[in-house]
Amino acid sequence: MDFNFTEEQAMLREQISRFLADRYDFEQRRRAVASPEGWRPDIWQAFAGELGLLGAAFPESLGGYGGGPVETMIVMEEFGKALVVEPYLGTVVIGGGFLKHSGWPQAKDLVAKIISGEARIAFAHAEPQGCFDTRFVATTARRRGETYVLDGHKAVVIGAPWATHLIVTARTASAPGEAEGLSVFLVEKNAPGITTTDYPTVDGLRASEIRFDAVEVPTGCLLGEEGRALPLIEQVIDEATAAACAEAVGCMQKLHEGTLDYARERRQFGTPIGKFQALQHRMVDMFIALEQSVSMSYMATMMLGAPATERARAVSAAKAFISRSAKFVGQSAIQIHGGMGMTDELAIGHYFKRATMIEGLFGTADHHLRRYEALQAA
Ligand SMILES: Cc1cc2nc3c(=O)[nH]c(=O)nc-3n(C[C@H](O)[C@H](O)[C@H](O)COP(=O)(O)OP(=O)(O)OC[C@H]3O[C@@H](n4cnc5c(N)ncnc54)[C@H](O)[C@@H]3O)c2cc1C
Protein backbone atom coordinates (compact mmCIF):
# COMPACT_ATOMS: atom_id res chain seq x y z
CA MET A 1 0.00 0.00 0.00
CA ASP A 2 1.25 3.48 -0.82
CA PHE A 3 1.60 5.55 2.35
CA ASN A 4 3.39 8.46 0.72
CA PHE A 5 2.00 11.91 1.36
CA THR A 6 1.04 14.07 -1.61
CA GLU A 7 3.13 17.13 -2.38
CA GLU A 8 0.40 19.36 -0.90
CA GLN A 9 0.25 17.30 2.29
CA ALA A 10 4.04 17.41 2.69
CA MET A 11 3.89 21.18 2.17
CA LEU A 12 1.15 21.52 4.78
CA ARG A 13 3.30 19.67 7.33
CA GLU A 14 6.36 21.75 6.47
CA GLN A 15 4.41 24.99 6.71
CA ILE A 16 2.94 24.19 10.16
CA SER A 17 6.23 22.89 11.48
CA ARG A 18 8.09 26.05 10.39
CA PHE A 19 5.38 28.32 11.76
CA LEU A 20 5.34 26.58 15.16
CA ALA A 21 9.15 26.56 15.39
CA ASP A 22 9.16 30.36 14.83
CA ARG A 23 6.12 31.40 16.81
CA TYR A 24 5.27 28.64 19.27
CA ASP A 25 8.40 27.53 21.08
CA PHE A 26 8.29 26.00 24.56
CA GLU A 27 8.81 29.31 26.41
CA GLN A 28 6.15 31.14 24.35
CA ARG A 29 3.71 28.32 25.04
CA ARG A 30 4.53 28.32 28.75
CA ARG A 31 3.84 32.05 29.01
CA ALA A 32 0.52 31.69 27.17
CA VAL A 33 -0.60 28.77 29.34
CA ALA A 34 0.25 30.72 32.51
CA SER A 35 -1.55 33.89 31.31
CA PRO A 36 -5.10 34.64 32.50
CA GLU A 37 -6.49 33.85 29.02
CA GLY A 38 -4.54 30.58 28.76
CA TRP A 39 -4.24 30.69 24.97
CA ARG A 40 -3.15 32.98 22.14
CA PRO A 41 -5.94 34.46 20.02
CA ASP A 42 -3.23 35.99 17.75
CA ILE A 43 -1.96 32.49 16.95
CA TRP A 44 -5.50 31.29 16.22
CA GLN A 45 -5.93 34.20 13.81
CA ALA A 46 -2.59 33.30 12.20
CA PHE A 47 -3.78 29.68 11.81
CA ALA A 48 -6.82 31.11 10.03
CA GLY A 49 -5.26 33.94 8.01
CA GLU A 50 -1.53 33.34 7.43
CA LEU A 51 -1.70 29.54 7.22
CA GLY A 52 -5.27 28.93 6.04
CA LEU A 53 -5.10 25.95 8.36
CA LEU A 54 -8.62 26.01 9.75
CA GLY A 55 -10.10 25.27 6.32
CA ALA A 56 -7.62 22.55 5.28
CA ALA A 57 -9.82 19.59 6.24
CA PHE A 58 -13.19 20.96 5.08
CA PRO A 59 -14.63 19.94 1.70
CA GLU A 60 -14.80 22.59 -1.01
CA SER A 61 -18.61 22.34 -0.93
CA LEU A 62 -18.47 23.89 2.56
CA GLY A 63 -15.92 26.53 1.57
CA GLY A 64 -12.83 24.55 2.67
CA TYR A 65 -9.69 23.54 0.78
CA GLY A 66 -10.81 20.00 0.04
CA GLY A 67 -8.72 18.02 2.53
CA GLY A 68 -9.91 15.28 4.86
CA PRO A 69 -8.71 12.91 7.59
CA VAL A 70 -5.09 12.81 6.39
CA GLU A 71 -4.82 16.62 6.57
CA THR A 72 -6.32 16.50 10.09
CA MET A 73 -3.79 13.84 11.06
CA ILE A 74 -0.89 15.96 9.78
CA VAL A 75 -2.10 19.03 11.68
CA MET A 76 -2.64 17.07 14.90
CA GLU A 77 0.79 15.38 14.76
CA GLU A 78 2.49 18.74 14.36
CA PHE A 79 0.33 20.23 17.13
CA GLY A 80 1.32 17.30 19.36
CA LYS A 81 4.99 18.07 18.76
CA ALA A 82 4.53 21.71 19.79
CA LEU A 83 1.94 21.07 22.56
CA VAL A 84 -0.48 23.49 20.92
CA VAL A 85 -3.30 24.36 23.32
CA GLU A 86 -5.52 26.27 20.87
CA PRO A 87 -8.88 24.55 20.29
CA TYR A 88 -8.39 22.87 16.90
CA LEU A 89 -9.73 19.48 18.03
CA GLY A 90 -12.97 20.91 19.46
CA THR A 91 -13.54 23.50 16.75
CA VAL A 92 -12.41 21.96 13.47
CA VAL A 93 -12.40 18.21 14.11
CA ILE A 94 -15.45 17.86 16.37
CA GLY A 95 -17.44 21.01 15.57
CA GLY A 96 -16.52 20.73 11.88
CA GLY A 97 -17.32 17.00 11.98
CA PHE A 98 -20.87 17.59 13.18
CA LEU A 99 -21.39 20.34 10.61
CA LYS A 100 -20.00 18.17 7.78
CA HIS A 101 -21.99 15.04 8.57
CA SER A 102 -25.31 16.29 9.98
CA GLY A 103 -26.67 17.87 6.81
CA TRP A 104 -27.56 20.99 8.81
CA PRO A 105 -28.86 23.61 6.32
CA GLN A 106 -26.86 26.50 7.84
CA ALA A 107 -23.59 24.57 8.08
CA LYS A 108 -21.85 26.56 5.35
CA ASP A 109 -22.27 29.88 7.21
CA LEU A 110 -20.83 28.54 10.46
CA VAL A 111 -18.00 26.71 8.67
CA ALA A 112 -17.07 30.04 7.05
CA LYS A 113 -16.79 31.56 10.52
CA ILE A 114 -14.68 28.63 11.73
CA ILE A 115 -12.35 28.98 8.76
CA SER A 116 -11.95 32.72 9.38
CA GLY A 117 -11.20 32.09 13.08
CA GLU A 118 -14.32 33.91 14.24
CA ALA A 119 -16.23 30.89 15.61
CA ARG A 120 -14.77 28.37 18.07
CA ILE A 121 -16.61 25.30 19.24
CA ALA A 122 -16.44 23.11 22.36
CA PHE A 123 -18.07 19.70 22.61
CA ALA A 124 -20.33 19.46 25.65
CA HIS A 125 -20.99 15.75 25.78
CA ALA A 126 -19.41 13.91 28.73
CA GLU A 127 -21.28 13.87 32.02
CA PRO A 128 -20.04 13.13 35.54
CA GLN A 129 -21.51 9.58 35.57
CA GLY A 130 -20.64 8.76 31.95
CA CYS A 131 -17.42 6.67 32.16
CA PHE A 132 -16.77 7.08 28.38
CA ASP A 133 -20.15 5.53 27.52
CA THR A 134 -21.28 7.55 24.51
CA ARG A 135 -24.91 6.68 25.28
CA PHE A 136 -24.76 7.92 28.83
CA VAL A 137 -26.45 11.28 28.39
CA ALA A 138 -28.79 12.45 31.14
CA THR A 139 -29.06 16.06 29.92
CA THR A 140 -32.57 16.54 28.55
CA ALA A 141 -34.00 18.58 25.68
CA ARG A 142 -37.78 19.01 25.81
CA ARG A 143 -39.67 20.35 22.84
CA ARG A 144 -41.74 23.45 23.62
CA GLY A 145 -43.26 25.10 20.57
CA GLU A 146 -40.49 26.39 18.31
CA THR A 147 -37.75 25.71 20.87
CA TYR A 148 -36.08 22.91 22.80
CA VAL A 149 -35.44 23.49 26.50
CA LEU A 150 -32.13 22.05 27.75
CA ASP A 151 -31.41 21.00 31.34
CA GLY A 152 -28.33 19.18 32.61
CA HIS A 153 -24.66 19.18 33.58
CA LYS A 154 -21.70 18.58 31.27
CA ALA A 155 -18.26 17.83 32.72
CA VAL A 156 -14.72 18.75 31.62
CA VAL A 157 -15.78 20.55 28.46
CA ILE A 158 -12.32 21.12 26.98
CA GLY A 159 -11.81 24.52 25.34
CA ALA A 160 -15.17 25.86 26.57
CA PRO A 161 -13.65 29.03 28.09
CA TRP A 162 -12.51 30.04 24.56
CA ALA A 163 -15.61 28.88 22.68
CA THR A 164 -18.27 30.96 20.97
CA HIS A 165 -20.54 27.94 20.45
CA LEU A 166 -21.20 24.63 22.14
CA ILE A 167 -22.26 21.39 20.52
CA VAL A 168 -24.44 19.74 23.14
CA THR A 169 -25.76 16.19 23.26
CA ALA A 170 -29.09 15.76 25.02
CA ARG A 171 -31.92 13.29 25.37
CA THR A 172 -35.17 14.04 23.61
CA ALA A 173 -36.41 10.56 24.66
CA SER A 174 -35.43 7.35 26.51
CA ALA A 175 -33.13 6.95 29.50
CA PRO A 176 -29.35 7.43 30.00
CA GLY A 177 -27.47 4.50 28.44
CA GLU A 178 -30.05 3.83 25.72
CA ALA A 179 -29.22 4.16 22.03
CA GLU A 180 -32.48 5.80 21.01
CA GLY A 181 -33.47 9.32 21.96
CA LEU A 182 -30.14 11.13 21.57
CA SER A 183 -30.07 14.49 19.81
CA VAL A 184 -27.39 17.09 19.08
CA PHE A 185 -27.78 20.87 19.33
CA LEU A 186 -25.71 23.87 18.41
CA VAL A 187 -25.96 26.37 21.25
CA GLU A 188 -24.48 29.86 21.57
CA LYS A 189 -22.22 29.84 24.58
CA ASN A 190 -23.66 33.01 26.05
CA ALA A 191 -27.29 31.80 25.82
CA PRO A 192 -29.35 32.63 28.93
CA GLY A 193 -29.43 29.75 31.44
CA ILE A 194 -25.86 28.55 30.80
CA THR A 195 -23.48 28.70 33.79
CA THR A 196 -19.82 27.83 33.38
CA THR A 197 -17.11 27.14 35.94
CA ASP A 198 -13.76 27.44 34.17
CA TYR A 199 -10.51 25.83 35.31
CA PRO A 200 -7.10 24.80 33.99
CA THR A 201 -6.43 21.12 33.29
CA VAL A 202 -3.14 19.40 34.18
CA ASP A 203 -1.94 19.51 30.56
CA GLY A 204 -2.18 23.30 30.25
CA LEU A 205 -5.59 23.45 28.56
CA ARG A 206 -8.72 25.11 29.94
CA ALA A 207 -12.05 23.40 30.56
CA SER A 208 -15.43 24.16 32.08
CA GLU A 209 -18.15 22.47 34.05
CA ILE A 210 -21.32 23.62 32.31
CA ARG A 211 -24.82 23.71 33.71
CA PHE A 212 -27.85 24.12 31.49
CA ASP A 213 -30.80 25.49 33.34
CA ALA A 214 -33.87 25.80 31.08
CA VAL A 215 -31.73 26.95 28.15
CA GLU A 216 -33.95 27.71 25.15
CA VAL A 217 -32.60 26.62 21.77
CA PRO A 218 -34.48 27.26 18.51
CA THR A 219 -35.59 24.06 16.77
CA GLY A 220 -33.45 25.16 13.79
CA CYS A 221 -30.33 24.45 15.92
CA LEU A 222 -30.96 20.70 15.99
CA LEU A 223 -28.12 18.97 14.10
CA GLY A 224 -29.23 15.77 12.40
CA GLU A 225 -32.38 13.86 13.26
CA GLU A 226 -34.18 14.24 16.57
CA GLY A 227 -33.63 11.18 18.76
CA ARG A 228 -31.48 9.35 16.19
CA ALA A 229 -28.11 11.03 16.60
CA LEU A 230 -26.12 8.14 18.08
CA PRO A 231 -24.49 7.07 14.75
CA LEU A 232 -23.57 10.73 14.06
CA ILE A 233 -22.10 11.16 17.56
CA GLU A 234 -20.12 7.93 17.26
CA GLN A 235 -18.77 8.90 13.86
CA VAL A 236 -17.56 12.30 15.05
CA ILE A 237 -16.06 10.87 18.26
CA ASP A 238 -14.25 8.22 16.19
CA GLU A 239 -12.82 10.97 13.97
CA ALA A 240 -11.79 12.96 17.05
CA THR A 241 -10.24 9.84 18.60
CA ALA A 242 -8.16 9.23 15.48
CA ALA A 243 -7.07 12.89 15.61
CA ALA A 244 -6.11 12.49 19.29
CA CYS A 245 -4.08 9.40 18.32
CA ALA A 246 -2.15 11.53 15.81
CA GLU A 247 -1.54 14.18 18.46
CA ALA A 248 -0.25 11.48 20.84
CA VAL A 249 2.14 10.33 18.10
CA GLY A 250 3.49 13.91 17.86
CA CYS A 251 3.95 14.00 21.67
CA MET A 252 5.65 10.59 21.69
CA GLN A 253 8.06 11.66 18.95
CA LYS A 254 9.20 14.57 21.12
CA LEU A 255 9.35 12.40 24.27
CA HIS A 256 11.52 9.89 22.43
CA GLU A 257 13.74 12.49 20.76
CA GLY A 258 14.18 14.47 24.01
CA THR A 259 15.10 11.31 25.89
CA LEU A 260 17.75 10.31 23.35
CA ASP A 261 19.27 13.80 23.51
CA TYR A 262 19.28 13.76 27.29
CA ALA A 263 20.80 10.27 27.49
CA ARG A 264 23.61 11.39 25.15
CA GLU A 265 24.27 14.52 27.17
CA ARG A 266 23.82 13.54 30.81
CA ARG A 267 27.01 12.02 32.22
CA GLN A 268 27.23 9.77 35.27
CA PHE A 269 30.09 7.53 36.39
CA GLY A 270 32.30 9.29 33.81
CA THR A 271 30.19 8.40 30.75
CA PRO A 272 26.94 9.50 29.04
CA ILE A 273 24.07 7.52 30.61
CA GLY A 274 23.04 6.46 27.09
CA LYS A 275 26.01 4.08 27.09
CA PHE A 276 24.31 1.88 29.68
CA GLN A 277 22.73 -1.16 28.11
CA ALA A 278 19.64 -1.17 30.36
CA LEU A 279 18.78 2.36 29.18
CA GLN A 280 19.53 1.48 25.55
CA HIS A 281 17.09 -1.43 25.75
CA ARG A 282 14.44 0.86 27.19
CA MET A 283 15.01 3.44 24.45
CA VAL A 284 14.73 0.76 21.75
CA ASP A 285 11.40 -0.33 23.27
CA MET A 286 10.28 3.31 23.24
CA PHE A 287 11.23 3.56 19.56
CA ILE A 288 9.31 0.39 18.69
CA ALA A 289 6.21 1.60 20.59
CA LEU A 290 6.45 4.93 18.75
CA GLU A 291 6.85 3.38 15.27
CA GLN A 292 3.94 0.99 15.85
CA SER A 293 1.84 3.91 17.09
CA VAL A 294 2.60 5.82 13.89
CA SER A 295 1.33 2.85 11.86
CA MET A 296 -1.79 2.45 14.05
CA SER A 297 -2.55 6.16 13.73
CA TYR A 298 -2.26 5.98 9.91
CA MET A 299 -4.44 2.87 9.87
CA ALA A 300 -7.19 4.51 11.97
CA THR A 301 -7.08 7.62 9.77
CA MET A 302 -7.38 5.60 6.56
CA MET A 303 -10.36 3.67 7.97
CA LEU A 304 -12.45 6.72 8.92
CA GLY A 305 -14.39 6.44 5.66
CA ALA A 306 -15.16 2.72 6.12
CA PRO A 307 -18.59 1.36 7.20
CA ALA A 308 -19.38 2.14 10.86
CA THR A 309 -18.35 -1.19 12.44
CA GLU A 310 -15.04 -1.43 10.57
CA ARG A 311 -14.28 2.22 11.29
CA ALA A 312 -15.04 1.81 15.00
CA ARG A 313 -12.95 -1.37 15.22
CA ALA A 314 -9.95 0.31 13.62
CA VAL A 315 -10.22 3.41 15.80
CA SER A 316 -10.58 1.39 19.00
CA ALA A 317 -7.62 -0.83 18.08
CA ALA A 318 -5.49 2.26 17.47
CA LYS A 319 -6.63 4.07 20.60
CA ALA A 320 -6.06 1.03 22.83
CA PHE A 321 -2.57 0.57 21.41
CA ILE A 322 -1.64 4.24 21.41
CA SER A 323 -2.97 4.85 24.94
CA ARG A 324 -0.69 2.08 26.23
CA SER A 325 2.24 3.28 24.15
CA ALA A 326 1.81 6.87 25.29
CA LYS A 327 1.93 5.69 28.89
CA PHE A 328 4.97 3.51 28.28
CA VAL A 329 6.89 6.14 26.27
CA GLY A 330 5.95 8.93 28.70
CA GLN A 331 6.84 7.01 31.84
CA SER A 332 10.08 5.76 30.29
CA ALA A 333 11.04 9.30 29.27
CA ILE A 334 10.43 10.53 32.82
CA GLN A 335 12.38 7.65 34.31
CA ILE A 336 15.39 8.10 32.03
CA HIS A 337 15.41 11.83 32.76
CA GLY A 338 15.32 11.07 36.50
CA GLY A 339 14.37 14.04 38.69
CA MET A 340 14.82 16.46 35.73
CA GLY A 341 11.81 14.90 34.03
CA MET A 342 9.60 16.08 36.88
CA THR A 343 10.65 19.72 36.74
CA ASP A 344 8.54 22.46 35.23
CA GLU A 345 11.51 23.91 33.35
CA LEU A 346 12.00 20.90 31.10
CA ALA A 347 9.58 20.29 28.24
CA ILE A 348 9.55 16.55 28.86
CA GLY A 349 7.17 16.74 31.85
CA HIS A 350 4.76 18.87 29.82
CA TYR A 351 4.71 16.31 26.97
CA PHE A 352 4.14 13.63 29.58
CA LYS A 353 1.14 15.50 31.00
CA ARG A 354 -0.44 15.95 27.58
CA ALA A 355 0.27 12.32 26.60
CA THR A 356 -1.31 11.22 29.90
CA MET A 357 -4.46 13.23 29.24
CA ILE A 358 -4.72 11.84 25.69
CA GLU A 359 -4.32 8.34 27.16
CA GLY A 360 -7.78 8.77 28.71
CA LEU A 361 -9.34 11.13 26.16
CA PHE A 362 -12.42 9.53 24.52
CA GLY A 363 -11.71 6.33 26.48
CA THR A 364 -8.77 4.54 28.04
CA ALA A 365 -6.97 1.51 26.57
CA ASP A 366 -9.22 -0.82 28.59
CA HIS A 367 -12.37 0.92 27.38
CA HIS A 368 -11.30 0.61 23.74
CA LEU A 369 -10.24 -3.03 24.13
CA ARG A 370 -13.71 -3.81 25.48
CA ARG A 371 -15.31 -1.87 22.62
CA TYR A 372 -13.14 -3.72 20.08
CA GLU A 373 -14.08 -7.05 21.59
CA ALA A 374 -17.80 -6.19 21.52
CA LEU A 375 -17.50 -5.13 17.86
CA GLN A 376 -15.71 -8.38 16.96
CA ALA A 377 -18.52 -10.36 18.54
CA ALA A 378 -21.23 -8.30 16.79
C1 LIG B 1 -3.24 12.71 51.29
C2 LIG B 1 -2.68 13.00 49.95
C3 LIG B 1 -1.36 12.69 49.71
C4 LIG B 1 -0.80 12.95 48.47
N1 LIG B 1 0.48 12.63 48.23
C5 LIG B 1 1.04 12.89 47.05
C6 LIG B 1 2.42 12.55 46.77
O1 LIG B 1 3.10 12.03 47.60
N2 LIG B 1 2.91 12.84 45.57
C7 LIG B 1 2.14 13.45 44.61
O2 LIG B 1 2.64 13.70 43.53
N3 LIG B 1 0.85 13.77 44.83
C8 LIG B 1 0.28 13.51 46.02
N4 LIG B 1 -1.01 13.86 46.24
C9 LIG B 1 -1.76 14.53 45.18
C10 LIG B 1 -2.76 13.60 44.51
O3 LIG B 1 -2.10 12.55 43.86
C11 LIG B 1 -3.56 14.42 43.50
O4 LIG B 1 -4.33 15.31 44.23
C12 LIG B 1 -4.52 13.56 42.68
O5 LIG B 1 -3.80 12.72 41.82
C13 LIG B 1 -5.41 14.44 41.84
O6 LIG B 1 -6.64 13.81 41.84
P1 LIG B 1 -7.94 14.60 42.25
O7 LIG B 1 -9.00 13.59 42.36
O8 LIG B 1 -7.65 15.45 43.41
O9 LIG B 1 -8.17 15.55 41.03
P2 LIG B 1 -8.90 15.26 39.63
O10 LIG B 1 -10.29 15.72 39.73
O11 LIG B 1 -8.67 13.86 39.17
O12 LIG B 1 -8.18 16.26 38.67
C14 LIG B 1 -6.79 16.43 38.66
C15 LIG B 1 -6.46 17.41 37.55
O13 LIG B 1 -6.83 16.87 36.28
C16 LIG B 1 -7.71 17.75 35.62
N5 LIG B 1 -8.68 16.90 34.90
C17 LIG B 1 -9.53 16.00 35.40
N6 LIG B 1 -10.17 15.37 34.41
C18 LIG B 1 -9.70 15.87 33.25
C19 LIG B 1 -9.93 15.59 31.88
N7 LIG B 1 -10.83 14.66 31.47
N8 LIG B 1 -9.25 16.31 30.95
C20 LIG B 1 -8.34 17.22 31.33
N9 LIG B 1 -8.07 17.52 32.62
C21 LIG B 1 -8.74 16.85 33.56
C22 LIG B 1 -8.29 18.64 36.66
O14 LIG B 1 -8.63 19.87 36.17
C23 LIG B 1 -7.15 18.75 37.64
O15 LIG B 1 -6.23 19.74 37.23
C24 LIG B 1 -1.58 13.57 47.47
C25 LIG B 1 -2.91 13.88 47.73
C26 LIG B 1 -3.45 13.60 48.94
C27 LIG B 1 -4.88 13.96 49.17
Side-chain angles (χ1 to χ4, degrees), residues 216-227:
E216 288 192 30
V217 182
T219 48
C221 291
L222 174 73
L223 305 185
E225 261 188 275
E226 184 191 295

Side-chain angles (χ1 to χ4, degrees), residues 259-283 336:
T259 304
L260 292 194
D261 288 348
Y262 187 75
R264 285 191 190 107
E265 211 176 83
R266 170 89 172 107
R267 298 177 73 84
Q268 194 56 272
F269 310 113
T271 182
I273 60 169
K275 292 268 184 218
F276 301 130
Q277 206 174 35
L279 295 194
Q280 288 176 357
H281 287 165
R282 180 69 77 91
M283 288 183 282
I336 293 173

Side-chain angles (χ1 to χ4, degrees), residues 132 155-156 158 199-203 205 207 209 342 354 357 360-361:
F132 310 124
V156 202
I158 303 285
Y199 50 90
T201 56
V202 285
D203 50 352
L205 270 62
E209 296 301 295
M342 303 294 288
R354 182 63 191 146
M357 294 319 290
L361 192 60

Side-chain angles (χ1 to χ4, degrees), residues 5-336:
F5 293 102
T6 64
E7 212 172 296
E8 288 78 17
Q9 288 165 346
M11 264 167 57
L12 176 69
R13 186 188 292 283
E14 171 63 23
Q15 201 189 9
I16 306 169
S17 166
R18 218 171 330 113
F19 176 90
L20 294 174
D22 285 350
R23 308 261 293 271
Y24 211 93
D25 68 22
F26 178 59
E27 280 310 317
Q28 289 167 318
R29 178 208 185 252
R30 220 148 72 116
R31 277 197 299 277
V33 165
S35 71
E37 298 76 29
W39 72 307
R40 288 175 60 190
D42 62 315
I43 288 287
W44 190 252
Q45 279 313 320
F47 287 164
E50 278 175 55
L51 297 184
L53 198 59
L54 305 183
F58 281 108
E60 285 168 8
S61 59
L62 284 178
Y65 307 129
V70 175
E71 281 69 19
T72 300
M73 183 185 82
I74 290 170
V75 174
M76 291 300 290
E77 263 186 36
E78 294 307 310
F79 279 12
K81 290 181 199 166
L83 290 176
V84 169
V85 296
E86 280 67 24
Y88 186 86
L89 185 64
T91 301
V92 176
V93 182
I94 301 181
F98 278 108
L99 295 174
K100 269 192 271 193
H101 304 308
S102 65
W104 191 51
Q106 298 156 58
K108 203 169 175 181
D109 294 344
L110 188 54
V111 169
K113 287 186 180 167
I114 290 176
I115 293 175
S116 70
E118 210 182 316
R120 293 170 303 280
I121 298 177
F123 184 36
H125 172 59
E127 300 191 7
Q129 310 294 318
C131 289
F132 310 124
D133 179 357
T134 311
R135 301 170 185 198
F136 190 96
V137 171
T139 297
T140 54
R142 292 192 177 80
R143 181 80 188 253
R144 194 169 66 194
E146 287 309 297
T147 60
Y148 286 93
V149 181
L150 268 59
D151 284 281
H153 172 195
K154 296 289 184 179
V156 202
V157 183
I158 303 285
W162 310 321
T164 54
H165 297 76
L166 301 171
I167 284 185
V168 186
T169 53
R171 281 206 166 270
T172 37
S174 307
E178 288 179 23
E180 285 299 310
L182 280 172
S183 303
V184 181
F185 298 91
L186 179 79
V187 183
E188 301 220 354
K189 208 194 100 185
N190 58 8
I194 292 184
T195 325
T196 59
T197 309
D198 302 346
Y199 50 90
T201 56
V202 285
D203 50 352
L205 270 62
R206 298 287 164 104
S208 308
E209 296 301 295
I210 305 188
R211 289 187 186 277
F212 297 86
D213 190 9
V215 176
E216 288 192 30
V217 182
T219 48
C221 291
L222 174 73
L223 305 185
E225 261 188 275
E226 184 191 295
R228 295 181 187 276
L230 185 65
L232 170 67
I233 297 169
E234 288 183 337
Q235 180 176 2
V236 175
I237 292 181
D238 275 344
E239 290 172 0
T241 306
C245 286
E247 188 187 351
V249 163
C251 278
M252 279 190 261
Q253 282 175 356
K254 296 302 271 190
L255 283 161
H256 178 249
E257 197 181 289
T259 304
L260 292 194
D261 288 348
Y262 187 75
R264 285 191 190 107
E265 211 176 83
R266 170 89 172 107
R267 298 177 73 84
Q268 194 56 272
F269 310 113
T271 182
I273 60 169
K275 292 268 184 218
F276 301 130
Q277 206 174 35
L279 295 194
Q280 288 176 357
H281 287 165
R282 180 69 77 91
M283 288 183 282
V284 168
D285 290 342
M286 287 168 75
F287 178 70
I288 293 170
L290 166 61
E291 284 299 301
Q292 288 178 326
S293 296
V294 171
S295 301
M296 292 299 268
S297 163
Y298 286 10
M299 185 273 297
T301 302
M302 307 305 280
M303 292 295 281
L304 287 177
T309 307
E310 285 173 51
R311 177 200 73 219
R313 233 181 351 226
V315 168
S316 277
K319 185 61 167 59
F321 186 87
I322 289 174
S323 286
R324 286 194 175 165
S325 300
K327 186 172 185 169
F328 173 73
V329 172
Q331 290 183 344
S332 299
I334 294 281
Q335 190 169 21
I336 293 173

